[in-house]
Amino acid sequence: MSVTVSSARPLTFRRLAALAPWSLGGAVLLAILSAALALVPFLLLHRIAVELAADRPDTAAVRTLAGLAALAVLGRWVLMSASHALAHAGAFAVLHRLRLRLADRLAVVPMSLLARHGSGGLRRIVIDDVASLEGFLAHMLPDAAAALVTPPLALALLLAVDWRLGLAALAPLPLAVLLQAWMMRGARVRMEEWHGIQTRIATRMVDFLRGMPLVTLFGLSARSFGGFAAAVVGAVGWVNAYAARLSVGWALFGALLGGGLPLVAGLGAWLHLRGDVDAATLALFLLMAPVVLQPLLRLTFALGEQERRRGALARIDALLTAPAVVERPEAAVPAPEVPRDVAFRDVHFSYEDGRTPVLAGVSFTAKAGAVTALVGPSGAGKSTLLRLLSRHADVRGGALLVAGRDVRDWPADALLAEIGVVFQEVFLFHGTVRDNLLVARADADETAMIEAARAARFHEVVLAMPQGYDTPIGERGFRLSGGERQRLSIARALLKDAPILLLDEATSAADAENEALIRQALAVLCRGRTVLTVAHRLSSVRRADRIVVLEGGAVAGQGTHEDLLECCPLYRRLWADHEQAANWRLGSRLQGEDARC
């Protein structure tokens, strides 16, 4: 996994096309040849008309010219088809490479950046924005190349035959260009507005789908789900206003590009009546006058598409060049026998705005082979410490050491290989049990996988499934219970066999039966590892080797359970609250208030 910060120049359409140069370059070349070949039948028809107007027409020559015209038409369509095939192949190759690069980058950017975009916004960039480039590369790029070549060639041909009629065919162009420039004013701003509307719809849709149980419970519909309905209605209003603004302009623009034909017809008829232009030449101009400017309509569509996609390209480029975990290739990985102590040394951290301090001078050491628990009120910074260790963010001050080396000096892949995680919120992929286990170690064999599942008290669950380890578990593992998902997560961590383990209260949402099984699995998992666990239930860490109490992003105390009860007022209060909550029963009185239901 590449984790270096990209120093590449900004992504442009030219650099985008360079991702598949042979396919897209070949498509453009074939499109140009096809456009040039499209003019050949007009020349041949002119020659046929001249021949037929002669006193003694050469029928053999006419047949030859007609055959050549038919071959030119056929050759043009063959070249056009080959151009489209190459363009699509190149476009999909570019999309494939872009999405792989985006996936690599998303794996190493700070979590704060992902949170800022939101799942709907990231989906818009990785799926929709990338997909929107396909139309430009596969269709508009060859069309634009052909449209650039056809008018100059056609105009040169007509001017060579009769310069007066050639200029008549060209006359509407200046007015059409001015009208198009007027219509394109503010196009980039409008496209950014449209992207914002689509992002809001995508985000609200994700919220609507994820909240479907709640939506059903309250009898809501998509229309009554305020945020989603408002986003859709806003999009309809924006589109209607945009279409009303441009429809008249586009109609006039199209009329102007075809406006050369009436001028050519009128001037050509007058010149023919004067005897200055023969019938064959007049017929040639009547046939080719629309060819001179009409391709510019396709060119305008291509340029407009490019302008609309410029925002998508900028958003993709912003992700590809987003600051990532910096790898220092010269740093060596500590030897395996070095104890994997985790030491926080005067660690400071704040969010990107710098005005929201989260950690302020945190210092403690989690010894190798020991369990270190992090406790404290909500918002004290417990989970942030785990995110810093897994490089989802970097310290703003101080140092975080693993095996005596600053985490920023570790190669990122090597550091992440040292860390296993089991969090309360388990994420499972849409796939089989086997797929989700092998995420931890792709080269693990069947025996290792089954041993990990058995140690996690999950093997028996798998045996009861219809296809065993090849049973699909659904999106986010919805076919499994909460306890089963947690045990699968523990099996995954066991299979990874990392020396450092991060736990975020893996049992807090489990029922009594599953909690017992999860605790048995965790006991196996923690054995011999450096464990940092965030605790919400103090009873779960009472026997931890060291407990670190956090308050307001600073260490309020650290030591064993007994030490803290004696010398840390905050811990005494937290423990008292815990015991009071543990002794609460339905119908009991809590702090003098009637708690009966």
Side-chain angles (χ1 to χ4, degrees):
M1 178 174 61
S2 173
V3 292
T4 54
V5 176
S6 175
S7 60
R9 293 165 292 143
L11 190 61
T12 62
F13 287 101
R14 179 178 296 179
R15 294 187 61 228
L16 192 69
L19 294 175
W22 294 108
S23 298
L24 294 176
V28 167
L29 178 60
L30 291 177
I32 291 173
L33 293 175
S34 172
L37 198 57
L39 301 178
V40 172
F42 293 105
L43 294 175
L44 295 174
L45 288 175
H46 177 251
R47 293 299 308 148
I48 290 173
V50 171
E51 190 64 41
L52 291 176
D55 294 335
R56 292 182 142 186
D58 186 344
T59 55
V62 169
R63 284 195 297 270
T64 301
L65 292 170
L68 291 175
L71 286 176
V73 171
L74 178 62
R76 181 210 172 188
W77 286 106
V78 169
L79 290 174
M80 185 182 297
S81 299
S83 172
H84 286 170
L86 276 177
H88 280 83
F92 286 118
V94 170
L95 267 57
H96 174 72
R97 291 170 186 170
L98 271 183
R99 287 200 173 113
L100 288 180
R101 291 186 183 184
L102 284 169
D104 285 342
R105 179 59 53 173
L106 289 174
V108 296
V109 297
M111 291 299 291
S112 57
L113 183 144
L114 304 183
R116 188 169 67 248
H117 280 285
S119 55
L122 289 172
R123 178 200 171 278
R124 285 274 303 134
I125 296 173
V126 177
I127 303 298
D128 297 341
D129 282 345
V130 174
S132 72
L133 300 175
E134 184 268 336
F136 174 78
L137 294 172
H139 300 280
M140 296 300 177
L141 188 61
D143 281 354
L148 280 171
V149 169
T150 302
L153 287 178
L155 183 61
L157 173 64
L158 294 181
L159 289 173
V161 175
D162 190 292
W163 65 271
R164 296 162 298 182
L165 292 176
L167 290 178
L170 188 64
L173 180 60
L175 187 57
V177 170
L178 290 175
L179 179 62
Q180 178 63 18
W182 177 81
M183 288 192 300
M184 292 299 292
R185 289 178 307 131
R188 189 170 303 182
V189 173
R190 290 195 294 274
M191 288 304 103
E192 285 301 320
E193 290 175 357
W194 179 235
H195 171 74
I197 290 171
Q198 291 181 303
T199 299
R200 283 194 292 276
I201 292 176
T203 301
R204 298 301 184 185
M205 174 63 81
V206 170
D207 289 343
F208 181 70
L209 295 176
R210 286 181 176 172
M212 192 57 68
L214 187 65
V215 171
T216 304
L217 181 64
F218 284 95
L220 300 176
S221 64
R223 188 173 296 276
S224 61
F225 193 72
F228 179 54
V232 173
V233 170
V236 172
W238 189 94
V239 169
N240 288 337
Y242 183 68
R245 181 181 183 276
L246 292 183
S247 57
V248 175
W250 275 111
L252 288 174
F253 182 70
L256 285 171
L257 291 184
L261 182 58
L263 292 176
V264 168
L267 179 61
W270 180 69
L271 292 174
H272 179 63
L273 291 174
R274 289 182 53 187
D276 292 341
V277 171
D278 59 30
T281 299
L282 178 59
L284 173 66
F285 274 87
L286 292 177
L287 288 172
M288 289 195 65
V291 177
V292 175
L293 296 183
Q294 279 296 332
L296 295 179
L297 187 60
R298 297 204 312 270
L299 179 61
T300 301
F301 283 141
L303 293 176
E305 186 76 7
Q306 177 177 327
E307 191 62 35
R308 284 190 289 274
R309 300 301 168 237
R310 198 178 296 280
L313 201 63
R315 290 186 291 272
I316 292 169
D317 188 54
L319 272 189
L320 288 175
T321 57
V325 179
V326 179
E327 180 177 350
R328 300 180 184 176
E330 71 277 5
V333 179
E337 63 271 10
V338 174
R340 264 36 180 182
D341 292 346
V342 175
F344 292 81
R345 297 285 182 262
D346 192 30
V347 168
H348 291 73
F349 177 76
S350 61
Y351 292 111
E352 290 183 358
D353 59 11
R355 298 190 298 270
T356 310
V358 180
L359 301 173
V362 172
S363 295
F364 68 90
T365 298
K367 289 292 186 180
V371 176
T372 301
L374 308 176
V375 303
S378 178
K382 304 181 295 293
S383 297
T384 300
L385 291 172
L386 300 191
R387 287 198 293 271
L388 291 176
L389 181 56
S390 55
R391 298 303 303 278
H392 285 160
D394 274 329
V395 300
R396 298 295 177 91
L400 172 53
L401 311 178
V402 171
R405 186 183 298 275
D406 193 304
V407 292
R408 290 166 292 189
D409 290 333
W410 279 73
D413 288 348
L415 176 65
L416 296 179
E418 299 277 322
I419 299 172
V421 297
V422 178
F423 288 163
Q424 177 182 343
E425 184 68 26
V426 178
F427 185 87
L428 299 176
F429 293 98
H430 183 58
T432 65
V433 174
R434 184 187 306 276
D435 295 335
N436 279 276
L437 283 171
L438 293 181
V439 165
R441 203 174 89 216
D443 61 347
D445 57 24
E446 190 84 6
T447 302
M449 186 177 65
I450 291 174
E451 286 179 356
R454 183 175 283 115
R457 309 300 189 267
F458 186 64
H459 182 63
E460 293 73 16
V461 175
V462 179
L463 293 180
M465 295 179 177
Q467 296 169 258
Y469 284 89
D470 294 312
T471 303
I473 60 174
E475 186 176 0
R476 301 178 71 90
F478 77 90
R479 291 194 175 97
L480 303 178
S481 70
E484 290 168 346
R485 287 196 292 271
Q486 196 62 269
R487 279 180 274 161
L488 174 53
S489 175
I490 294 171
R492 192 160 58 186
L494 281 164
L495 189 60
K496 186 174 183 180
D497 195 24
I500 299 171
L501 179 63
L502 309 182
L503 303 176
D504 193 350
E505 196 52 87
T507 64
S508 62
D511 55 64
E513 180 182 357
N514 270 304
E515 181 176 356
L517 292 170
I518 291 171
R519 288 195 182 283
Q520 292 172 22
L522 286 174
V524 176
L525 180 60
C526 293
R527 201 173 295 152
R529 291 181 167 86
T530 305
V531 179
L532 279 89
T533 177
V534 170
H536 304 290
R537 295 179 182 177
L538 293 187
S539 59
S540 65
V541 296
R542 181 175 180 176
R543 294 182 177 82
D545 298 288
R546 175 171 290 271
I547 300 173
V548 178
V549 185
L550 297 169
E551 183 179 26
V555 175
Q558 54 181 305
T560 64
H561 172 72
E562 291 75 16
D563 294 338
L564 292 169
L565 283 178
E566 182 178 343
C567 65
C568 182
L570 174 59
Y571 188 79
R572 276 200 303 271
R573 178 167 60 81
L574 292 173
W575 182 254
D577 290 344
H578 165 74
E579 287 192 315
Q580 190 175 50
N583 293 327
W584 182 83
R585 298 289 184 275
L586 286 175
S588 67
R589 291 185 178 274
L590 184 60
Q591 293 183 350
E593 297 181 3
D594 192 348
R596 287 174 293 181
C597 298

